[in-house]
Amino acid sequence: MAKTDITEKIVSLAKRRGFVFQSSEIYGGLNGCWDYGPLGVEMLNNIKQSWWKEMTYRENVEGIDAAILMHPKVWEASGHVDNFTDPMVDCKECKARFRYDILLEGLSEKAAKKMKEDLKKELNLDDDKIKSFIEDPDNSEKVLSTVNCPNCGRNGTFTKARSFNLMFKTYIGPVEDSSNIVFLRPETAQGIYVNFLNVKEAGRQKLPFGIAQIGKAFRNEINTKNFLFRTREFEQMEMQFFINPKDDGQWFEYWKEQRINWFVKHGIKKENLNIHEHEKLAHYAKAAVDIEYKFPFGWGEIEGIHNRTDFDLKRHTEYSGKKLEYFDDQTKERFIPYVIETSAGASRSFMAFLINAYDEEQVAKENSDGSKSTEVRTVLHIHPSFAPVKAAVFPLVNRDGMQDIAHNITEDLRKHFRVFYDDSGAVGRRYRRQDECGTPYCITVDSETLTNGSVTVRERDSMEQVRVHKDKLTGYLSQLIISN
Ligand code: GAP
């Protein structure tokens, strides 16, 4: 299957089965925004709940839920007002706008080579120098002087690059002037830093300890392609772990391992995971790695682990005047803690888990005349604890009281899980419908149920069936589904 086909198939399945819809679809959609449907919201909640349990059901990590709108000084202190920008160039003719680095990446090999050779000759620079010359947005006008606009095709029509801040701005209160500007947070991390002292005191925590948060973040991204990968509104699952600076190496390694294990434990295939170590570090970071997933369009970051040093607490101390430091009453040391950050996208992880689960398999089929053939089954091998519907219950036929028994089983199981009842069509078709939305277990009430109370439980991935007494289903399924 071609890689582009997979993305198209998943986007189409996501819509058909109610995982993800385009935002405001009846109005033609809103670029970079998506809505989670009935199955999508269940799966997203399952992912977030699993992360929350994994990260906060331990002694030394507390959870919070900070406001999306924060004091504007937060974003000055964090560096977002000055540095959270992308270099943009405009075509003077057709007015189309592009991110400078993305425009360069999009050049054909031939065009990129020619541009480089021309510049090398004209400026008399060697290979290394020409690379940094091209990458510097200040040189964009010169660099792009021979490049065609991808929109109108005209040559050499680009403006000089300008910085475009990715934060969404709005106003607090009724007066729309500069003193009332607030930003929609572009990351949840800052809500954690500003609450460092509150949580430490309220939770009577000692170092090392962490603060975790799940919440929406907003970025006015210029290029919002690849489905849920880069959107303007998304959710993050972030944890900031405050430590004594001398222990930073050890905690960085610890959290890196913990976070990789969480993805693997929930079914992400190891061959589709990559750990990318940053060589070029952000000015505040001492170490950084990305956990990358092999999306159909290439490797993409799903989570970052960063040693952010004391940068954030120091900056907030400076801008707020409130000392965000720690006193160790055993060693009598006073210092600003270092922070190890784990920062995952909930929406991006959701997309990775969905793609990772998608499969089309050839399976045996028995035709109505008893002959055998094969058919393609589309199946989502979603980890049972993330699956939106945990079990489907079917009466084999709609007579002899099988429907009543199946309804009773459904009601019993619903006290614990999301369960779906289905009595329409052949059982084989009912299985296929559940396979396609990732339901791990299908329970069928048949004639044997009428005599001894047992039902069949068919497992999605192996398609194997076992018989279980209907009164033991809750315990049986709980064991299989609960993973952490
Ligand atoms: N506090 C650090 C921070 O925000 P980041 O690498 O900018 O770091 C962390 O973002 C994670 O948030 C990424 O690994 C990704 O999963 C997710 N993310 C970032 N921008 C996103 C976007 N525009 N759309 C969807 N997810 C995004």
Side-chain angles (χ1 to χ4, degrees):
M1 204 182 340
K3 286 181 173 175
T4 45
D5 279 0
I6 302 178
T7 311
E8 270 169 34
K9 283 180 176 180
I10 287 169
V11 174
S12 143
L13 182 146
K15 177 174 175 183
R16 192 170 68 250
R17 300 311 311 266
F19 282 89
V20 180
F21 308 124
Q22 210 185 0
S23 161
S24 327
E25 194 190 83
I26 59 168
Y27 290 99
L30 181 68
N31 210 343
C33 301
W34 296 87
D35 297 342
Y36 290 82
L39 295 189
V41 68
E42 280 293 328
M43 180 165 156
L44 183 65
N45 281 342
N46 292 340
I47 292 173
K48 291 191 289 186
Q49 214 174 58
S50 159
W51 183 91
W52 188 256
K53 275 168 88 177
E54 172 95 8
M55 301 301 276
T56 71
Y57 286 19
R58 30 173 115 211
E59 244 176 9
N60 57 1
V61 180
E62 308 274 6
I64 61 161
D65 186 7
I68 287 173
L69 300 178
M70 302 180 73
H71 196 289
K73 278 215 156 172
V74 167
W75 307 110
E76 286 176 37
S78 67
H80 284 82
V81 169
D82 287 338
N83 302 323
F84 197 52
T85 56
D86 276 340
M88 305 300 300
V89 294
D90 294 328
C91 170
K92 289 177 208 157
E93 294 295 330
C94 71
K95 312 293 176 212
R97 179 168 282 188
F98 305 92
R99 222 172 95 179
Y100 177 57
D101 52 340
I102 303 261
L103 188 66
L104 290 177
E105 270 172 36
L107 292 179
S108 69
E109 211 174 303
K110 197 171 147 202
K113 197 168 166 201
K114 180 170 181 328
M115 178 186 80
K116 201 168 145 188
E117 289 310 316
D118 289 352
L119 286 168
K120 256 170 84 175
K121 227 184 260 168
E122 189 182 336
L123 304 169
N124 198 18
L125 295 173
D126 64 20
D127 269 346
D128 267 359
K129 290 226 173 83
I130 201 73
K131 186 168 179 287
S132 44
F133 182 88
I134 291 172
E135 280 171 2
D136 184 348
D138 280 346
N139 302 324
S140 59
E141 225 172 355
K142 176 91 211 147
V143 171
L144 298 176
S145 60
T146 55
V147 170
N148 294 341
C149 167
N151 190 48
C152 69
R154 291 192 184 86
N155 189 269
T157 52
F158 292 108
T159 59
K160 194 169 176 204
R162 280 176 301 178
S163 290
F164 173 82
N165 197 295
L166 299 186
M167 284 196 293
F168 280 101
K169 251 187 219 165
T170 186
Y171 299 91
I172 205 146
V175 183
E176 294 193 5
D177 71 21
S178 57
S179 60
N180 295 326
I181 287 177
V182 286
F183 299 100
L184 301 189
R185 67 180 175 200
E187 62 171 13
T188 62
Q190 301 301 326
I192 294 180
Y193 302 133
V194 300
N195 276 299
F196 166 68
L197 290 180
N198 285 339
V199 175
K200 179 177 84 62
E201 274 148 39
R204 296 173 57 231
Q205 283 286 359
K206 287 191 183 315
L207 248 52
F209 78 95
I211 306 178
Q213 163 161 239
I214 299 178
K216 291 261 181 169
F218 304 83
R219 297 182 188 180
N220 200 359
E221 301 278 4
I222 311 304
N223 292 308
T224 56
K225 50 185 181 184
N226 295 328
F227 193 33
L228 304 173
F229 184 78
R230 182 164 288 115
T231 54
R232 296 201 165 108
E233 176 177 340
F234 55 98
E235 258 182 306
Q236 289 187 315
M237 309 187 287
E238 296 198 299
M239 195 275 309
Q240 315 293 323
F241 200 68
F242 301 93
I243 54 169
N244 189 315
K246 70 179 166 51
D247 301 328
D248 64 344
Q250 159 203 338
W251 283 114
F252 184 78
E253 288 307 315
Y254 173 82
W255 284 110
K256 186 169 106 183
E257 197 186 318
Q258 291 277 307
R259 296 306 307 141
I260 296 167
N261 289 348
W262 182 79
F263 283 103
V264 174
K265 187 163 83 178
H266 292 97
I268 294 281
K269 297 173 194 127
K270 276 199 173 147
E271 66 270 25
N272 289 337
L273 271 189
N274 181 46
I275 307 305
H276 168 73
E277 309 232 353
H278 286 222
E279 282 160 24
K280 233 165 111 180
L281 293 169
H283 58 285
Y284 53 79
K286 195 172 151 191
V289 294
D290 295 340
I291 303 180
E292 295 182 329
Y293 181 76
K294 197 176 187 180
F295 288 99
F297 53 85
W299 290 103
E301 174 194 335
I302 46 178
E303 172 156 357
I305 324 278
H306 314 120
N307 177 350
R308 296 184 66 122
T309 66
D310 56 5
F311 174 82
D312 302 276
L313 293 185
K314 227 178 189 166
R315 293 275 290 194
H316 285 302
T317 297
E318 196 184 310
Y319 279 73
S320 69
K322 181 104 182 157
K323 279 190 177 164
L324 302 181
E325 55 184 27
Y326 183 79
F327 178 68
D328 187 324
D329 47 20
Q330 301 220 304
T331 62
K332 309 293 174 211
E333 274 180 288
R334 189 178 290 279
F335 57 89
I336 300 182
Y338 267 27
V339 170
I340 305 297
E341 168 182 70
T342 70
S343 174
S347 344
R348 227 183 245 185
S349 303
F350 173 98
M351 180 174 165
F353 281 115
L354 202 60
I355 291 174
N356 182 73
Y358 186 87
D359 205 0
E360 287 176 13
E361 299 173 352
Q362 287 286 339
V363 290
K365 179 187 174 204
E366 192 166 322
N367 301 312
S368 50
D369 61 2
S371 63
K372 300 226 158 89
S373 58
T374 59
E375 66 175 355
V376 174
R377 99 166 165 141
T378 301
V379 54
L380 292 181
H381 298 285
I382 305 172
H383 190 279
S385 69
F386 287 179
V389 175
K390 306 299 186 206
V393 185
F394 313 145
L396 181 64
V397 286
N398 294 334
R399 57 175 148 76
D400 304 332
M402 288 187 205
Q403 283 167 299
D404 287 344
I405 299 173
H407 273 303
N408 288 340
I409 291 174
T410 307
E411 287 316 311
D412 273 354
L413 291 178
R414 270 199 185 132
K415 292 176 196 143
H416 311 275
F417 317 109
R418 193 167 161 88
V419 180
F420 186 80
Y421 173 89
D422 188 4
D423 62 14
S424 69
V427 167
R429 286 182 60 109
R430 286 182 250 172
Y431 283 151
R432 293 289 173 272
R433 289 200 288 262
Q434 295 307 315
D435 288 343
E436 204 189 38
C437 58
T439 306
Y441 303 102
C442 289
I443 295 157
T444 305
V445 173
D446 57 16
S447 53
E448 211 179 313
T449 317
L450 306 179
T451 55
N452 66 11
S454 74
V455 293
T456 62
V457 180
R458 178 254 197 194
E459 198 270 331
R460 176 196 65 205
D461 299 343
S462 64
M463 295 190 284
E464 276 169 12
Q465 300 187 14
V466 290
R467 292 204 78 90
V468 177
H469 194 279
K470 62 183 173 56
D471 298 341
K472 295 203 165 140
L473 281 170
T474 303
Y476 179 78
L477 293 179
S478 299
Q479 253 193 341
L480 294 169
I481 290 163
I482 296 167
S483 77
N484 65 21

